[in-house]
Amino acid sequence: MSAEKVLVLNATGKVGRNVCRALREAGFTVYGTTRSANNQLSAQGIKAVVANYTQPDDLRQAFVASGAKKVFVITDFFSAAGKSAEREFAQGRAAIDAAKAAGVDHLIFMSVADAEFFDEHVTHLKAKVQLEAYLRASGVPFSIVRPCAFFENLDDPDNWNPLKKGVVKFLSLDECKYCATYDIGRAAAVQLKNPQAWLGKSLDVIGWQGDLAAVAAALAEVSGVPVKAKLAMPVFLRRLFLKDLHHMFLYYEVQKGPRGTPEEFKKIVPDALSAQDWFRFHGRYANGDKISA
Ligand SMILES: NC(=O)c1ccc[n+]([C@@H]2O[C@H](COP(=O)([O-])OP(=O)(O)OC[C@H]3O[C@@H](n4cnc5c(N)ncnc54)[C@H](OP(=O)(O)O)[C@@H]3O)[C@@H](O)[C@H]2O)c1
């Protein structure tokens, strides 16, 4: 029997590329959308579908081109939606509608852990809550993955936080819950392979928790060099210039959210990546040098 097909929308981003990898490793034939005809997807064993995942016509064509009846849906407030919750909702709704029209038998939607519990200033999570509700009412067979903060934030040159030897930076020194985007894909693989257990259900993706000093200790262990933990910016500047993210961090710091735990997630993905595992998995600093000693 040939492997089942899965279409991953936005296959080249921080999430998409590792979700594609995890689904391919789980035995699926993976199709991934990208706007660029000149992409690296086939080198990673992914069948490239040149499409803009935010455009209804492109979405329809992507389902036809792949023939997939399973889809992993990502929406993105910051890049694709240009920091508009309304636009992110419209883009996610278009993906759900296209999946319905294509007769998809399992749609995995990537939301955010505890999305409904952040305060009104956390604008970038509003569409996630609305899209979960739209999906539940849509009639499309679905599951939801709800990740916490990505380890990938620790090496994010696009957001002025490249990972450098000997230092790790984040917007909080406090204890946080993290996950690897690869584990989002492994969670999706579990859901797709066992629809009886997972249709209509959601899963918090939380691989590890620790404060920034523990993150630094993990990098020191993997790299073999001492590592300092530093704030990417002082908290008063975070409050002044990154109000939306500041309030998200307040939910982590003051309310100790999200409520899920690595122990719960490891009942589903037992070898979920720890901070040490993620630095080994990630492999390189932002300048391309190897992390491991
Ligand atoms: N950071 C976290 O800790 C965290 C935690 C939980 C959830 N999330 C969620 O993760 C999502 C972001 O995913 P990500 O980090 O994978 O995104 P990303 O890395 O920013 O995605 C980048 C890709 O988006 C495509 N893209 C950029 N601008 C576009 C546009 N105007 N129109 C269409 N496509 C465009 C590009 O693909 P092509 O050029 O190849 O088309 C690009 O490679 C958000 O929904 C966020 O809420 C993040």
Side-chain angles (χ1 to χ4, degrees), residues 142-198:
F142 73 92
S143 306
I144 297 172
V145 283
R146 305 185 102 204
C148 56
F150 299 165
F151 282 126
E152 280 73 10
N153 296 319
L154 302 169
D155 183 16
D156 192 356
D158 293 344
N159 288 306
W160 305 280
N161 193 23
L163 183 64
K164 295 180 182 168
K165 193 173 181 175
V167 59
V168 72
K169 294 184 183 177
F170 200 39
L171 285 168
S172 174
L173 294 173
D174 289 9
E175 181 145 302
C176 276
K177 291 173 179 169
Y178 292 89
C179 70
T181 57
Y182 176 63
D183 283 340
I184 301 172
R186 293 203 292 171
V190 168
Q191 294 180 325
L192 290 172
K193 288 195 163 193
N194 192 355
Q196 290 87 344
W198 285 103

Side-chain angles (χ1 to χ4, degrees), residues 10 12-17 33-36 51-54 74-77 79-80 88 110-112 124-125 128 147-150 153:
N10 191 13
T12 61
K14 288 185 284 296
V15 179
R17 79 176 79 107
T33 69
T34 169
R35 294 168 301 171
S36 168
N52 184 332
Y53 81 109
T54 68
I74 295 168
T75 59
D76 183 16
F77 174 84
S79 299
E88 184 185 0
M110 188 184 77
S111 182
V112 164
H124 78 281
L125 298 181
K128 300 288 194 291
C148 56
F150 299 165
N153 296 319

Side-chain angles (χ1 to χ4, degrees), residues 50-67:
V50 177
N52 184 332
Y53 81 109
T54 68
Q55 299 300 317
D57 285 345
D58 283 26
L59 286 164
R60 273 192 288 278
Q61 284 167 23
F63 280 109
V64 172
S66 65

